Amino acid sequence: MWSEEQSKIIHSTEPVIQVIAGAGSGKTATMIGLLERREKNETILPEETLVVTFTKKATHEFKERCQKKSLSNSYHISTFHSFCYDSLKQFDRNKNWKNYKLLGESKKWEITKYLLSPYRDLIGGIPFSILLKKDGAYFKSISEEIYVSFRSSFHHWKEKNHYFEFDDLIQNFLEFLHSNHSSLIKKKWKSLIIDEFQDTDEIQLEIIKQMEFDRITVVGDDWQAIYGFRGATPKPFLEFPIHFPNAVQFKLSTNYRSTHKIIQKSLLPIHQNKEKIPKQTISHRHEKGFFHLERSFKKEPQLKSLWKQFQSLDPNLVILTRSNFRKAEWIQAGVPLSQVMTIHSAKGLEFKTVLVDLSKGWSEDQNLVDTEEERRILYVALSRAKDNLIVLINATSDPKSLCDRFSEDFSVWNRFRNRTLRWTRLW
Protein backbone atom coordinates (compact mmCIF):
# COMPACT_ATOMS: atom_id res chain seq x y z
CA MET A 1 0.00 0.00 0.00
CA TRP A 2 2.69 2.49 0.99
CA SER A 3 5.78 3.35 -1.04
CA GLU A 4 9.19 2.93 0.52
CA GLU A 5 9.45 6.69 1.08
CA GLN A 6 6.03 6.88 2.72
CA SER A 7 6.67 3.81 4.89
CA LYS A 8 9.87 5.32 6.29
CA ILE A 9 7.96 8.40 7.44
CA ILE A 10 5.03 6.44 8.87
CA HIS A 11 7.27 4.14 10.92
CA SER A 12 9.78 6.77 12.02
CA THR A 13 10.21 7.23 15.77
CA GLU A 14 12.33 10.38 15.44
CA PRO A 15 11.05 13.20 17.68
CA VAL A 16 11.38 15.91 15.00
CA ILE A 17 10.63 15.15 11.35
CA GLN A 18 10.69 17.41 8.29
CA VAL A 19 8.90 15.95 5.27
CA ILE A 20 9.87 17.59 1.97
CA ALA A 21 6.96 16.63 -0.28
CA GLY A 22 6.61 17.38 -3.97
CA ALA A 23 3.34 18.17 -5.74
CA GLY A 24 0.98 15.19 -6.02
CA SER A 25 3.16 13.02 -3.76
CA GLY A 26 0.41 11.91 -1.37
CA LYS A 27 1.61 13.86 1.64
CA THR A 28 -1.82 14.10 3.31
CA ALA A 29 -2.38 10.37 2.91
CA THR A 30 1.04 9.77 4.46
CA MET A 31 0.17 11.92 7.46
CA ILE A 32 -3.05 9.97 7.94
CA GLY A 33 -0.96 6.78 7.80
CA LEU A 34 1.32 8.21 10.48
CA LEU A 35 -1.62 8.89 12.81
CA GLU A 36 -3.02 5.43 12.08
CA ARG A 37 0.23 3.76 13.10
CA ARG A 38 0.52 5.85 16.27
CA GLU A 39 -3.01 4.92 17.29
CA LYS A 40 -2.30 1.25 16.69
CA ASN A 41 0.91 1.34 18.72
CA GLU A 42 -0.55 3.74 21.31
CA THR A 43 2.68 5.74 21.25
CA ILE A 44 1.06 9.22 21.22
CA LEU A 45 -2.47 9.90 22.47
CA PRO A 46 -4.88 11.56 19.99
CA GLU A 47 -6.09 14.01 22.67
CA GLU A 48 -2.50 15.26 23.02
CA THR A 49 -1.98 15.65 19.27
CA LEU A 50 -2.44 18.94 17.46
CA VAL A 51 -2.88 18.89 13.66
CA VAL A 52 -2.49 22.29 12.04
CA THR A 53 -3.30 23.36 8.48
CA PHE A 54 -3.42 26.78 6.82
CA THR A 55 -6.84 26.77 5.14
CA LYS A 56 -10.36 25.73 6.14
CA LYS A 57 -10.50 23.60 3.00
CA ALA A 58 -7.41 21.62 4.07
CA THR A 59 -8.80 21.25 7.60
CA HIS A 60 -12.06 19.84 6.26
CA GLU A 61 -10.22 17.40 3.98
CA PHE A 62 -7.99 16.18 6.82
CA LYS A 63 -10.98 15.59 9.10
CA GLU A 64 -12.81 13.71 6.34
CA ARG A 65 -9.84 11.43 5.74
CA CYS A 66 -9.55 10.69 9.46
CA GLN A 67 -13.24 9.74 9.56
CA LYS A 68 -12.89 7.44 6.53
CA LYS A 69 -10.04 5.64 8.29
CA SER A 70 -12.13 5.46 11.51
CA LEU A 71 -9.45 7.31 13.44
CA SER A 72 -10.09 8.87 16.83
CA ASN A 73 -12.15 12.07 16.92
CA SER A 74 -10.00 13.39 19.78
CA TYR A 75 -7.43 15.02 17.51
CA HIS A 76 -7.54 18.81 17.43
CA ILE A 77 -7.52 19.58 13.69
CA SER A 78 -7.76 23.25 12.77
CA THR A 79 -6.10 26.14 10.99
CA PHE A 80 -3.21 27.87 12.74
CA HIS A 81 -5.33 30.97 13.37
CA SER A 82 -8.27 28.99 14.72
CA PHE A 83 -6.00 27.16 17.16
CA CYS A 84 -4.59 30.47 18.42
CA TYR A 85 -8.06 31.97 18.83
CA ASP A 86 -9.46 28.94 20.68
CA SER A 87 -6.40 28.84 22.93
CA LEU A 88 -6.57 32.54 23.78
CA LYS A 89 -10.27 32.27 24.62
CA GLN A 90 -9.60 29.33 26.92
CA PHE A 91 -6.31 30.27 28.57
CA ASP A 92 -5.63 34.01 28.30
CA ARG A 93 -6.77 35.66 31.54
CA ASN A 94 -5.69 39.17 30.59
CA LYS A 95 -8.24 39.64 27.81
CA ASN A 96 -11.81 38.49 27.29
CA TRP A 97 -11.44 37.19 23.74
CA LYS A 98 -15.08 36.11 23.58
CA ASN A 99 -16.01 39.78 23.24
CA TYR A 100 -13.76 40.25 20.20
CA LYS A 101 -14.75 39.65 16.59
CA LEU A 102 -12.86 39.26 13.32
CA LEU A 103 -12.47 42.45 11.30
CA GLY A 104 -13.90 41.90 7.81
CA GLU A 105 -12.22 43.23 4.66
CA SER A 106 -14.88 45.83 3.80
CA LYS A 107 -14.89 47.25 7.34
CA LYS A 108 -11.08 47.26 7.39
CA TRP A 109 -10.82 49.31 4.21
CA GLU A 110 -13.57 51.65 5.42
CA ILE A 111 -11.61 52.47 8.59
CA THR A 112 -8.33 52.62 6.67
CA LYS A 113 -9.84 55.17 4.29
CA TYR A 114 -11.10 57.25 7.22
CA LEU A 115 -7.73 57.22 9.02
CA LEU A 116 -5.75 58.04 5.88
CA SER A 117 -8.11 60.74 4.56
CA PRO A 118 -5.91 63.59 5.91
CA TYR A 119 -3.05 62.27 3.71
CA ARG A 120 -5.02 61.58 0.54
CA ASP A 121 -3.07 64.17 -1.48
CA LEU A 122 0.21 62.51 -0.53
CA ILE A 123 -0.96 58.93 -1.09
CA GLY A 124 -2.99 59.62 -4.21
CA GLY A 125 -4.82 56.73 -5.86
CA ILE A 126 -2.56 53.93 -4.66
CA PRO A 127 -4.73 50.90 -3.71
CA PHE A 128 -4.61 50.12 0.01
CA SER A 129 -3.68 46.49 -0.69
CA ILE A 130 -0.47 47.68 -2.41
CA LEU A 131 0.16 50.48 0.06
CA LEU A 132 0.10 48.13 3.07
CA LYS A 133 1.62 45.06 1.41
CA LYS A 134 4.66 43.44 3.07
CA ASP A 135 4.46 45.39 6.31
CA GLY A 136 3.77 48.65 4.51
CA ALA A 137 7.02 48.67 2.49
CA TYR A 138 5.55 50.97 -0.18
CA PHE A 139 3.87 53.20 2.44
CA LYS A 140 7.16 53.53 4.33
CA SER A 141 8.92 54.63 1.15
CA ILE A 142 6.46 57.54 0.97
CA SER A 143 6.56 58.44 4.68
CA GLU A 144 7.58 56.13 7.50
CA GLU A 145 6.35 58.66 10.07
CA ILE A 146 2.82 58.68 8.64
CA TYR A 147 2.84 54.88 8.35
CA VAL A 148 3.77 54.45 12.03
CA SER A 149 1.10 56.96 13.04
CA PHE A 150 -1.51 55.15 10.94
CA ARG A 151 -0.63 51.73 12.42
CA SER A 152 -0.92 53.14 15.95
CA SER A 153 -4.31 54.75 15.24
CA PHE A 154 -5.58 51.58 13.57
CA HIS A 155 -4.49 49.46 16.54
CA HIS A 156 -6.24 51.75 19.03
CA TRP A 157 -9.44 51.69 16.95
CA LYS A 158 -9.46 47.88 16.95
CA GLU A 159 -8.96 47.68 20.70
CA LYS A 160 -11.63 50.27 21.42
CA ASN A 161 -14.18 48.53 19.19
CA HIS A 162 -13.17 44.93 20.09
CA TYR A 163 -11.96 43.80 16.66
CA PHE A 164 -9.01 41.63 15.73
CA GLU A 165 -7.25 40.54 12.53
CA PHE A 166 -5.61 37.20 11.83
CA ASP A 167 -2.16 38.67 12.39
CA ASP A 168 -3.29 39.97 15.80
CA LEU A 169 -4.15 36.43 16.87
CA ILE A 170 -0.68 35.15 16.02
CA GLN A 171 1.12 38.03 17.74
CA ASN A 172 -1.10 37.93 20.84
CA PHE A 173 -0.71 34.18 21.17
CA LEU A 174 3.08 34.43 20.99
CA GLU A 175 3.01 37.10 23.72
CA PHE A 176 0.76 34.85 25.78
CA LEU A 177 3.25 31.96 25.49
CA HIS A 178 5.83 34.15 27.21
CA SER A 179 3.51 34.68 30.20
CA ASN A 180 3.24 32.62 33.38
CA HIS A 181 -0.22 31.35 32.38
CA SER A 182 1.05 29.43 29.33
CA SER A 183 2.24 26.35 31.21
CA LEU A 184 -1.22 24.73 31.05
CA ILE A 185 -1.46 24.84 27.27
CA LYS A 186 2.12 23.63 26.88
CA LYS A 187 1.33 20.62 29.05
CA LYS A 188 -1.86 19.89 27.11
CA TRP A 189 -0.23 19.37 23.71
CA LYS A 190 2.61 16.86 23.32
CA SER A 191 2.64 16.31 19.57
CA LEU A 192 2.33 18.57 16.53
CA ILE A 193 1.70 17.73 12.89
CA ILE A 194 1.69 20.79 10.67
CA ASP A 195 0.76 20.61 6.99
CA GLU A 196 1.82 23.10 4.28
CA PHE A 197 4.65 24.29 6.49
CA GLN A 198 6.10 26.32 3.62
CA ASP A 199 3.25 28.80 4.27
CA THR A 200 4.54 29.58 7.78
CA ASP A 201 5.82 33.00 8.78
CA GLU A 202 8.55 33.86 11.28
CA ILE A 203 6.13 34.47 14.18
CA GLN A 204 4.34 31.15 13.63
CA LEU A 205 7.72 29.41 13.65
CA GLU A 206 8.53 31.04 16.98
CA ILE A 207 5.18 29.84 18.39
CA ILE A 208 6.07 26.26 17.46
CA LYS A 209 9.40 26.62 19.26
CA GLN A 210 7.80 28.16 22.36
CA MET A 211 5.15 25.42 22.66
CA GLU A 212 7.87 22.88 23.56
CA PHE A 213 6.28 19.86 21.83
CA ASP A 214 7.77 16.41 22.45
CA ARG A 215 7.13 15.38 18.84
CA ILE A 216 7.02 17.61 15.76
CA THR A 217 6.24 16.62 12.18
CA VAL A 218 6.26 19.38 9.57
CA VAL A 219 5.24 18.71 5.98
CA GLY A 220 5.60 21.02 3.03
CA ASP A 221 7.04 21.96 -0.32
CA ASP A 222 9.10 25.13 -0.55
CA TRP A 223 8.45 25.10 -4.32
CA GLN A 224 4.79 25.87 -3.50
CA ALA A 225 5.34 28.78 -1.09
CA ILE A 226 3.03 31.40 -2.63
CA TYR A 227 1.63 33.44 0.26
CA GLY A 228 4.21 36.22 0.50
CA PHE A 229 1.42 38.82 0.32
CA ARG A 230 0.30 37.81 3.81
CA GLY A 231 3.78 37.65 5.31
CA ALA A 232 4.55 33.97 4.75
CA THR A 233 8.02 33.04 3.54
CA PRO A 234 9.73 29.75 2.64
CA LYS A 235 12.58 30.72 4.96
CA PRO A 236 11.28 28.79 8.04
CA PHE A 237 10.98 25.65 5.89
CA LEU A 238 14.38 26.13 4.25
CA GLU A 239 16.06 26.78 7.61
CA PHE A 240 14.08 24.26 9.69
CA PRO A 241 17.19 22.14 10.52
CA ILE A 242 18.86 25.27 11.89
CA HIS A 243 15.97 25.93 14.29
CA PHE A 244 15.62 22.23 15.15
CA PRO A 245 19.12 20.69 14.89
CA ASN A 246 17.84 17.21 15.77
CA ALA A 247 15.37 17.22 12.85
CA VAL A 248 15.50 14.28 10.45
CA GLN A 249 14.55 14.99 6.84
CA PHE A 250 12.47 12.71 4.63
CA LYS A 251 11.44 13.26 1.02
CA LEU A 252 8.33 12.31 -0.94
CA SER A 253 9.54 12.49 -4.51
CA THR A 254 7.01 10.38 -6.45
CA ASN A 255 4.29 12.35 -8.22
CA TYR A 256 1.11 10.24 -8.45
CA ARG A 257 -0.97 13.02 -10.05
CA SER A 258 0.50 14.09 -13.36
CA THR A 259 1.89 12.44 -16.47
CA HIS A 260 5.63 12.59 -17.15
CA LYS A 261 5.31 15.28 -19.82
CA ILE A 262 3.29 17.58 -17.55
CA ILE A 263 5.77 17.10 -14.71
CA GLN A 264 8.67 18.07 -16.97
CA LYS A 265 6.86 21.21 -18.17
CA SER A 266 5.86 22.25 -14.65
CA LEU A 267 9.48 22.03 -13.49
CA LEU A 268 10.73 24.53 -16.10
CA PRO A 269 10.00 27.75 -14.14
CA ILE A 270 10.97 26.40 -10.70
CA HIS A 271 14.41 25.31 -11.92
CA GLN A 272 15.23 29.01 -12.42
CA ASN A 273 14.89 29.73 -8.68
CA LYS A 274 17.97 29.82 -6.45
CA GLU A 275 16.30 29.77 -3.01
CA LYS A 276 14.97 26.21 -2.93
CA ILE A 277 15.61 22.71 -1.65
CA PRO A 278 16.84 20.54 -4.57
CA LYS A 279 14.71 17.45 -5.04
CA GLN A 280 14.01 14.81 -7.61
CA THR A 281 10.51 14.41 -9.04
CA ILE A 282 9.62 10.90 -10.21
CA SER A 283 6.54 10.20 -12.33
CA HIS A 284 4.44 7.27 -11.13
CA ARG A 285 2.24 7.36 -14.22
CA HIS A 286 3.43 5.96 -17.56
CA GLU A 287 0.88 7.61 -19.84
CA LYS A 288 2.30 10.10 -22.31
CA GLY A 289 -0.01 12.99 -21.45
CA PHE A 290 -0.89 16.07 -23.52
CA PHE A 291 0.83 19.47 -23.53
CA HIS A 292 -0.05 22.33 -25.86
CA LEU A 293 1.39 25.83 -26.10
CA GLU A 294 -1.25 28.23 -27.43
CA ARG A 295 0.13 31.48 -28.86
CA SER A 296 -2.09 34.53 -29.01
CA PHE A 297 -1.19 36.71 -32.00
CA LYS A 298 -3.51 39.52 -30.95
CA LYS A 299 -2.91 42.11 -28.27
CA GLU A 300 -6.24 41.15 -26.71
CA PRO A 301 -6.84 37.38 -27.12
CA GLN A 302 -10.35 36.44 -28.20
CA LEU A 303 -11.29 34.65 -25.00
CA LYS A 304 -14.68 33.46 -26.29
CA SER A 305 -13.17 31.66 -29.29
CA LEU A 306 -10.35 30.22 -27.17
CA TRP A 307 -12.87 28.88 -24.66
CA LYS A 308 -14.91 27.18 -27.39
CA GLN A 309 -11.76 25.77 -28.96
CA PHE A 310 -10.46 24.08 -25.82
CA GLN A 311 -13.82 22.96 -24.52
CA SER A 312 -13.80 20.39 -27.31
CA LEU A 313 -10.73 18.81 -25.70
CA ASP A 314 -12.41 18.51 -22.32
CA PRO A 315 -15.80 20.08 -21.38
CA ASN A 316 -14.63 20.16 -17.74
CA LEU A 317 -11.43 22.08 -18.49
CA VAL A 318 -10.40 24.52 -15.73
CA ILE A 319 -8.73 27.88 -16.43
CA LEU A 320 -6.24 29.23 -13.88
CA THR A 321 -5.44 32.95 -13.73
CA ARG A 322 -2.95 34.99 -11.74
CA SER A 323 -5.47 37.68 -10.73
CA ASN A 324 -9.14 38.11 -9.92
CA PHE A 325 -9.33 40.81 -12.61
CA ARG A 326 -8.23 38.35 -15.29
CA LYS A 327 -10.61 35.73 -13.88
CA ALA A 328 -13.47 38.21 -14.30
CA GLU A 329 -12.55 38.73 -17.97
CA TRP A 330 -12.85 34.98 -18.65
CA ILE A 331 -16.23 34.90 -16.88
CA GLN A 332 -17.42 37.80 -19.04
CA ALA A 333 -16.34 35.75 -22.06
CA GLY A 334 -18.78 33.03 -21.04
CA VAL A 335 -16.68 30.67 -18.92
CA PRO A 336 -18.73 29.21 -16.03
CA LEU A 337 -17.70 30.43 -12.59
CA SER A 338 -16.90 26.85 -11.57
CA GLN A 339 -14.37 26.46 -14.39
CA VAL A 340 -12.12 29.45 -13.79
CA MET A 341 -10.25 30.31 -10.62
CA THR A 342 -7.14 32.09 -9.44
CA ILE A 343 -4.01 30.02 -8.95
CA HIS A 344 -4.10 30.67 -5.19
CA SER A 345 -7.65 29.28 -5.02
CA ALA A 346 -6.57 26.16 -6.91
CA LYS A 347 -3.73 25.29 -4.54
CA GLY A 348 -4.18 21.77 -3.19
CA LEU A 349 -6.58 20.84 -6.00
CA GLU A 350 -6.11 18.80 -9.17
CA PHE A 351 -7.93 18.67 -12.50
CA LYS A 352 -7.86 16.45 -15.56
CA THR A 353 -7.34 19.37 -17.94
CA VAL A 354 -5.88 22.78 -17.05
CA LEU A 355 -5.36 25.93 -19.09
CA VAL A 356 -2.83 28.28 -17.47
CA ASP A 357 -3.29 31.88 -18.61
CA LEU A 358 0.22 33.29 -18.99
CA SER A 359 -0.82 36.06 -21.38
CA LYS A 360 -2.24 38.66 -19.01
CA GLY A 361 -2.99 39.47 -15.38
CA TRP A 362 0.46 38.86 -13.86
CA SER A 363 2.31 41.33 -11.64
CA GLU A 364 4.17 43.90 -13.71
CA ASP A 365 5.65 46.33 -11.15
CA GLN A 366 9.30 45.27 -11.24
CA ASN A 367 10.04 47.27 -8.07
CA LEU A 368 7.55 45.30 -5.95
CA VAL A 369 7.40 41.88 -7.56
CA ASP A 370 9.16 38.88 -6.00
CA THR A 371 10.20 37.03 -9.15
CA GLU A 372 11.02 33.78 -7.36
CA GLU A 373 7.58 33.72 -5.73
CA GLU A 374 5.94 34.44 -9.09
CA ARG A 375 7.76 31.43 -10.51
CA ARG A 376 6.49 29.33 -7.61
CA ILE A 377 2.96 30.54 -8.37
CA LEU A 378 3.39 29.45 -11.99
CA TYR A 379 4.70 26.06 -10.81
CA VAL A 380 1.62 25.58 -8.62
CA ALA A 381 -0.63 26.36 -11.61
CA LEU A 382 1.13 23.96 -13.97
CA SER A 383 1.27 21.13 -11.44
CA ARG A 384 -2.55 21.11 -10.96
CA ALA A 385 -2.96 19.26 -14.29
CA LYS A 386 -3.33 15.49 -14.32
CA ASP A 387 -3.67 14.53 -18.01
CA ASN A 388 -3.82 17.65 -20.20
CA LEU A 389 -1.99 20.96 -19.85
CA ILE A 390 -2.43 24.05 -22.04
CA VAL A 391 -0.39 27.23 -21.56
CA LEU A 392 -1.62 30.45 -23.17
CA ILE A 393 1.16 32.92 -24.03
CA ASN A 394 1.56 36.06 -26.15
CA ALA A 395 3.18 35.44 -29.52
CA THR A 396 4.62 38.97 -29.61
CA SER A 397 6.41 39.26 -26.29
CA ASP A 398 7.77 42.19 -24.31
CA PRO A 399 10.91 41.55 -22.20
CA LYS A 400 9.64 44.06 -19.64
CA SER A 401 6.49 41.99 -19.08
CA LEU A 402 6.73 39.34 -16.35
CA CYS A 403 4.37 36.88 -18.03
CA ASP A 404 6.19 37.28 -21.34
CA ARG A 405 9.55 36.67 -19.65
CA PHE A 406 8.12 33.51 -18.09
CA SER A 407 6.91 32.39 -21.51
CA GLU A 408 10.57 31.96 -22.48
CA ASP A 409 10.55 28.68 -20.54
CA PHE A 410 8.08 27.23 -23.03
CA SER A 411 8.96 29.06 -26.25
CA VAL A 412 12.42 29.20 -27.81
CA TRP A 413 11.12 31.90 -30.16
CA ASN A 414 10.03 34.14 -27.24
CA ARG A 415 13.38 33.58 -25.55
CA PHE A 416 15.26 34.58 -28.71
CA ARG A 417 12.97 37.56 -29.35
CA ASN A 418 13.21 38.91 -25.79
CA ARG A 419 16.99 38.64 -25.72
CA THR A 420 17.24 40.31 -29.14
CA LEU A 421 15.11 43.21 -27.90
CA ARG A 422 17.27 43.53 -24.78
CA TRP A 423 20.44 43.60 -26.90
CA THR A 424 18.90 46.20 -29.22
CA ARG A 425 18.20 48.50 -26.26
CA LEU A 426 21.82 48.21 -25.14
CA TRP A 427 22.81 49.80 -28.45
Side-chain angles (χ1 to χ4, degrees):
M1 177 184 177
W2 301 110
S3 69
E4 184 179 348
E5 288 180 325
Q6 292 170 327
S7 186
K8 284 181 179 179
I9 296 167
I10 290 169
H11 291 93
S12 173
T13 57
E14 300 292 342
V16 183
I17 297 172
Q18 182 183 22
V19 180
I20 302 164
S25 62
K27 61 182 178 62
T28 304
T30 305
M31 293 305 101
I32 297 296
L34 176 63
L35 292 179
E36 197 172 16
R37 184 197 62 80
R38 288 179 176 179
E39 278 196 31
K40 183 178 179 180
N41 295 346
E42 298 182 348
T43 52
I44 301 174
L45 297 175
E47 55 267 27
E48 296 178 344
T49 300
L50 174 64
V51 180
V52 173
T53 68
F54 282 89
T55 64
K56 291 181 179 179
K57 180 176 65 178
T59 298
H60 180 70
E61 180 189 356
F62 208 103
K63 288 179 177 179
E64 274 194 338
R65 293 202 186 193
C66 284
Q67 290 173 355
K68 287 180 181 179
K69 287 289 185 178
S70 300
L71 296 182
S72 171
N73 58 6
S74 297
Y75 295 107
H76 182 99
I77 306 171
S78 71
T79 63
F80 207 111
H81 293 94
S82 179
F83 166 69
C84 291
Y85 183 52
D86 291 341
S87 299
L88 287 169
K89 283 196 298 182
Q90 185 176 355
F91 295 100
D92 188 3
R93 300 175 185 174
N94 296 321
K95 196 171 184 177
N96 189 355
W97 281 92
K98 293 179 181 178
N99 293 335
Y100 282 73
K101 50 189 175 292
L102 180 65
L103 180 63
E105 286 294 300
S106 59
K107 187 69 175 178
K108 176 183 178 178
W109 299 133
E110 177 190 329
I111 301 304
T112 300
K113 183 179 180 180
Y114 169 75
L115 294 174
L116 292 179
S117 58
Y119 314 106
R120 57 182 175 271
D121 292 335
L122 178 65
I123 295 170
I126 303 168
F128 293 145
S129 57
I130 295 176
L131 194 67
L132 302 174
K133 186 180 179 181
K134 293 187 177 179
D135 195 29
Y138 195 86
F139 200 153
K140 290 175 184 176
S141 70
I142 298 173
S143 173
E144 188 162 356
E145 183 182 356
I146 295 175
Y147 173 75
V148 172
S149 174
F150 160 72
R151 294 303 304 178
S152 176
S153 299
F154 190 56
H155 173 75
H156 289 309
W157 179 88
K158 287 189 291 186
E159 284 295 318
K160 180 181 178 181
N161 294 278
H162 295 93
Y163 279 104
F164 68 83
E165 295 182 89
F166 286 126
D167 288 346
D168 298 327
L169 290 176
I170 302 297
Q171 185 61 50
N172 277 267
F173 187 61
L174 179 59
E175 292 171 2
F176 166 72
L177 289 178
H178 288 105
S179 71
N180 296 328
H181 303 302
S182 64
S183 58
L184 289 175
I185 193 169
K186 291 178 182 179
K187 289 178 181 178
K188 182 177 181 179
W189 303 111
K190 302 294 184 184
S191 174
L192 169 70
I193 293 179
I194 182 164
D195 196 12
E196 303 290 356
F197 188 70
Q198 78 277 350
D199 296 329
T200 307
D201 61 33
E202 302 279 0
I203 299 178
Q204 291 166 342
L205 174 64
E206 188 60 30
I207 286 174
I208 295 169
K209 293 165 71 173
Q210 292 295 325
M211 282 290 288
E212 302 172 3
F213 295 102
D214 294 335
R215 303 285 288 271
I216 298 175
T217 302
V218 300
V219 189
D221 180 8
D222 55 297
W223 295 3
Q224 298 187 66
I226 62 171
Y227 288 102
F229 66 90
R230 70 181 189 195
T233 165
K235 190 176 178 182
F237 192 79
L238 296 172
E239 298 179 354
F240 188 76
I242 297 174
H243 297 282
F244 296 90
N246 62 330
V248 177
Q249 290 185 333
F250 293 90
K251 290 187 178 181
L252 291 175
S253 54
T254 301
N255 185 313
Y256 297 93
R257 174 188 299 152
S258 306
T259 61
H260 177 74
K261 180 175 284 189
I262 291 174
I263 291 172
Q264 295 309 306
K265 294 298 181 182
S266 68
L267 292 175
L268 291 175
I270 206 68
H271 281 332
Q272 306 295 328
N273 281 2
K274 295 179 180 179
E275 295 294 321
K276 66 178 186 294
I277 298 175
K279 51 180 173 283
Q280 186 181 15
T281 304
I282 303 168
S283 175
H284 177 75
R285 299 178 59 190
H286 301 294
E287 303 96 317
K288 188 176 180 181
F290 172 81
F291 174 79
H292 175 70
L293 189 65
E294 179 70 16
R295 291 177 174 85
S296 172
F297 289 88
K298 297 182 179 180
K299 189 173 182 181
E300 287 296 326
Q302 299 299 309
L303 301 187
K304 285 185 179 180
S305 60
L306 284 172
W307 171 242
K308 289 179 180 179
Q309 174 186 342
F310 290 114
Q311 257 197 316
S312 61
L313 174 66
D314 181 359
N316 297 314
L317 171 147
V318 171
I319 298 171
L320 300 183
T321 67
R322 175 63 182 87
S323 62
N324 280 304
F325 176 80
R326 185 58 168 169
K327 172 185 170 182
E329 290 186 331
W330 279 100
I331 293 172
Q332 289 173 4
V335 180
L337 186 60
S338 60
Q339 287 183 253
V340 57
M341 61 181 68
T342 64
I343 298 168
H344 284 85
S345 299
K347 191 167 181 287
L349 302 177
E350 60 184 28
F351 310 97
K352 180 181 178 181
T353 306
V354 170
L355 185 152
V356 177
D357 187 348
L358 194 54
S359 66
K360 190 177 176 184
W362 290 69
S363 304
E364 298 301 339
D365 191 331
Q366 297 186 31
N367 295 319
L368 293 176
V369 70
D370 181 341
T371 304
E372 292 218 349
E373 176 157 318
E374 294 297 320
R375 286 200 193 101
R376 294 194 295 266
I377 292 170
L378 178 55
Y379 169 73
V380 167
L382 299 168
S383 60
R384 299 309 94 195
K386 296 168 65 178
D387 300 336
N388 310 302
L389 175 62
I390 304 159
V391 177
L392 175 63
I393 66 171
N394 296 311
T396 54
S397 62
D398 179 355
K400 294 188 297 181
S401 168
L402 183 68
C403 57
D404 286 350
R405 292 203 307 273
F406 283 177
S407 73
E408 294 178 13
D409 290 333
F410 308 97
S411 169
V412 175
W413 165 246
N414 280 19
R415 190 182 311 141
F416 173 75
R417 175 178 162 73
N418 282 350
R419 290 177 182 177
T420 302
L421 287 171
R422 284 194 285 266
W423 292 334
T424 302
R425 283 171 183 158
L426 288 174
W427 291 96

